[in-house]
Amino acid sequence: MALDLVPLWAAILAFGVFMYVLLDGFDLGVGILFPFTRNQDDRELMMNSVAPIWDFNETWLVLGGVGLLAAFPLAFAIVIPAVYFPILFMLIGLIFRGVAFEFRHLSERRHLWDGSFFAGSLIATFAQGIVLGTFVQGIPVEGRAYSGGSFGWLTPFALLTGAGLVAGYGMLGACWLVIKTEGELQAWARRKARYFTIGVAAFIAMISIWTPILQPQIRERWFGGDHPLWLWPVPLITLALFAGLWRSLATARHATPFIVAMGIFAMAYLGLAISIFPMVVPYTFDLWQSAASPKSQAFLMIGTLFLLPIILGYTVYSYWVFRGKVHPGGGYH
């Protein structure tokens, strides 16, 4: 009997997307916070806290996109046209942001590149949130193709998830700065983290109420007659993590707020997975209906099983090399 690789491919893609959200999420969050700090010296420290690692954080985005194309080509062919413009805006934002990393240290008009760094981070984050909202609200399909318009993603729900992700990445970015900085800048980051934590809690509450109203399948999954009690630890643990984050921001702990914030993202991600599993084109095609042929999955799996440990290895090594606080004059460039 042939081995069913679909669950393994689904796990690899879910892991890749989650790693991207966590790792690029906090450095996009630093960009969102960038113009609101006190002075140029603080902005230099903020930039230096993410400059050595931001580019390979985005490796996970490439893995997720290529993996979706290779392992679930039908899903790729339907989902990408539905979110073509948000993905285009995201890529433009990432380009402006990446160029700002390289040019602002050499330019006499540094304020322009500072603006590019902020705007690129904000646009990329908001666009990613819109893609998420479009995915959750469902994608219209006729036959085996996307049947909606070019602006089908432009809905109140998708705009809400876009704003929610901006708050979420802002929270991650502020908690990252608590780890990497000291003194007044660290105290400033703690205050911003509290503001963003309130915002994230509000957005999660609104999205959690709106989603079951929007989609009967999700309502049935969480509140239906067969609804199992084992789902309810997810919201309860999320509430406990919010309380833990709030308490940790009031202490002298440096790493705890970031670890707890990652836990909040993990629970939100788990809640999303529970809501839509096993669909990969909500709510038309599941993982098995969208998968490539078994031979193609097996061939691609060989390369992926070599590539994945390499990506994990250099990610861990890079964070180890650039560990510790950032200091004035100790920049990456």
Side-chain angles (χ1 to χ4, degrees):
M1 185 175 67
L3 178 64
D4 184 3
L5 293 176
V6 171
L8 183 56
W9 269 113
I12 290 173
L13 286 183
F15 178 71
V17 172
F18 183 62
M19 290 296 289
Y20 172 76
V21 168
L22 279 187
L23 300 184
D24 210 30
F26 76 74
D27 69 55
L28 284 166
V30 170
I32 292 169
L33 290 165
F34 200 63
F36 302 107
T37 189
R38 301 171 305 163
N39 53 51
Q40 190 64 30
D41 290 340
D42 285 350
R43 283 191 281 276
E44 292 297 326
L45 288 173
M46 293 169 69
M47 180 70 88
N48 290 339
S49 75
V50 295
I53 51 177
W54 71 273
D55 46 0
F56 63 74
N57 286 344
E58 294 177 358
T59 304
W60 296 100
L61 179 63
V62 177
L63 176 68
V66 174
L68 181 66
L69 170 63
F72 302 100
L74 178 60
F76 186 91
I78 295 173
V79 172
I80 297 303
V83 291
Y84 176 79
F85 279 108
I87 288 179
L88 178 63
F89 296 146
M90 178 189 74
L91 294 177
I92 291 173
L94 292 177
I95 289 171
F96 271 89
R97 185 171 176 274
V99 173
F101 268 111
E102 305 300 330
F103 282 83
R104 66 181 297 278
H105 296 278
L106 305 174
S107 175
E108 295 179 355
R109 298 180 177 180
R110 183 170 294 188
H111 64 283
L112 293 178
W113 294 111
D114 287 351
S116 173
F117 182 58
F118 165 67
S121 301
L122 182 64
I123 291 169
T125 302
F126 190 64
Q128 288 176 22
I130 287 178
V131 171
L132 173 63
T134 304
F135 189 75
V136 172
Q137 73 187 6
I139 296 172
V141 175
E142 185 173 334
R144 294 169 64 87
Y146 173 60
S147 61
S150 299
F151 294 93
W153 50 270
L154 191 57
T155 66
F157 181 79
L159 295 176
L160 179 70
T161 56
L165 197 62
V166 170
Y169 283 2
M171 180 182 74
L172 279 177
C175 291
W176 173 255
L177 291 175
V178 172
I179 295 178
K180 298 297 288 183
T181 63
E182 299 172 299
E184 287 297 319
L185 180 56
Q186 188 191 58
W188 175 85
R190 286 185 187 275
R191 291 194 296 273
K192 296 303 176 190
R194 291 191 189 98
Y195 298 148
F196 278 110
T197 299
I198 295 171
V200 172
F203 277 112
I204 287 181
M206 286 187 285
I207 292 168
S208 298
I209 294 171
W210 197 341
T211 304
I213 297 172
L214 192 66
Q215 281 300 335
Q217 295 92 332
I218 294 178
R219 183 169 63 247
E220 179 64 24
R221 177 66 53 86
W222 286 89
F223 304 102
D226 297 329
H227 139 68
L229 290 176
W230 60 266
L231 293 182
W232 286 99
V234 176
L236 296 177
I237 293 173
T238 305
L239 286 173
L241 288 170
F242 270 112
L245 177 57
W246 191 263
R247 282 198 302 272
S248 67
L249 287 169
T251 68
R253 297 178 186 275
H254 292 199
T256 305
F258 186 71
I259 294 171
V260 179
M262 287 195 297
I264 292 172
F265 265 77
M267 297 312 296
Y269 196 70
L270 179 60
L272 171 65
I274 290 172
S275 297
I276 64 172
F277 183 83
M279 294 294 170
V280 67
V281 182
Y283 299 88
T284 308
F285 292 111
D286 64 25
L287 290 163
W288 287 266
Q289 292 169 324
S290 305
S293 69
K295 286 185 178 179
S296 297
Q297 293 178 50
F299 176 75
L300 294 166
M301 183 63 72
I302 295 171
T304 303
L305 290 180
F306 279 103
L307 183 64
L308 199 55
I310 294 173
I311 297 175
L312 279 171
Y314 77 67
T315 298
V316 172
Y317 179 71
S318 300
Y319 276 85
W320 173 256
V321 169
F322 295 104
R323 68 189 183 279
K325 302 286 185 183
V326 291
H327 301 285
Y332 175 65
H333 290 271

